[in-house]
Amino acid sequence: MTEITRVPLQPIAKGALTKLWLGVAAAALAAGALVWTSLPAAVSVETVQAGAGAAPTEQDVVTINYKGTLPDGKVFDEAQGAKLPLQGIIPGFVEALKKMQPGGKYKVVIPSEKAYGKEGAPGIAPDTDLHFEIDLLKVQSRASAEQEMQAEQMKAMEAAAAAEKGGKKPAAPAEGK
């Protein structure tokens, strides 16, 4: 049997072990920074006043009061008693609403990637983060919300018909209903 030439291990130079560990730590930090920068931006939801009950799901309709502002404080949208289905609105808004409970008041920051992104929207520049103040008034199923809206429309039609018979102009519907 032939023997493989043995090579004796050289002693580790003073300070080399420290340099080795510093190199490992630097590589770990670089990897962590790479992962951190590749993560999508998160929606920030700050609770001003806690609510109670079940949070909405994507199949629900919410009734909210809200005010949307740009980073410079300019208001770009606001409404009272707005009924919004969670399907079909910007992803960051849906993500924020899913973290809320009825009766609560919240401050939300939606990063541009989860809002209008590089395209922007009328009155909103591309790559703009959106800030909202939201009061979540009510959460209901889509079917329940549709029944409620049909009942409101029937009442409005009946009131208009009664006003026509009485010779009066029908009253304009109240804002936000």
Side-chain angles (χ1 to χ4, degrees):
M1 210 154 77
T2 51
E3 188 172 316
I4 299 177
T5 307
R6 293 185 194 183
V7 178
L9 293 175
Q10 298 292 324
I12 297 176
K14 192 173 189 176
L17 193 55
T18 304
K19 290 178 185 175
L20 175 68
W21 282 112
L22 286 174
V24 169
L29 285 173
L34 182 62
V35 168
W36 176 262
T37 58
S38 65
L39 288 175
V43 172
S44 167
V45 178
E46 176 189 336
T47 302
V48 175
Q49 177 183 326
T57 65
E58 287 194 32
Q59 289 73 37
D60 291 331
V61 174
V62 295
T63 304
I64 60 173
N65 296 334
Y66 71 92
K67 179 168 76 170
T69 58
L70 301 174
D72 64 3
K74 179 183 174 193
V75 175
F76 68 87
D77 192 12
E78 66 182 313
Q80 300 291 311
K83 289 187 178 186
L84 300 174
L86 267 67
Q87 294 177 340
I89 57 178
I90 61 172
F93 208 79
V94 173
E95 187 177 325
L97 286 167
K98 287 180 175 182
K99 297 177 182 179
M100 300 179 186
Q101 295 176 305
K105 296 179 184 273
Y106 304 89
K107 288 187 177 181
V108 176
V109 178
I110 301 174
S112 65
E113 299 84 27
K114 294 190 177 188
Y116 295 105
K118 295 182 190 309
E119 296 84 35
I124 301 172
D127 296 320
T128 302
D129 295 346
L130 305 178
H131 300 251
F132 288 92
E133 294 175 12
I134 301 172
D135 299 340
L136 179 54
L137 306 174
K138 185 162 111 178
V139 177
Q140 60 192 133
S141 70
R142 188 177 208 88
S144 174
E146 287 174 358
Q147 287 176 344
E148 191 175 283
M149 287 194 296
Q150 286 176 351
E152 288 174 5
Q153 288 174 346
M154 289 299 292
K155 284 181 186 177
M157 288 172 42
E158 289 169 0
E164 271 187 30
K165 283 185 181 180
K168 299 179 184 176
K169 279 188 166 181
E175 182 91 16
K177 290 194 177 193

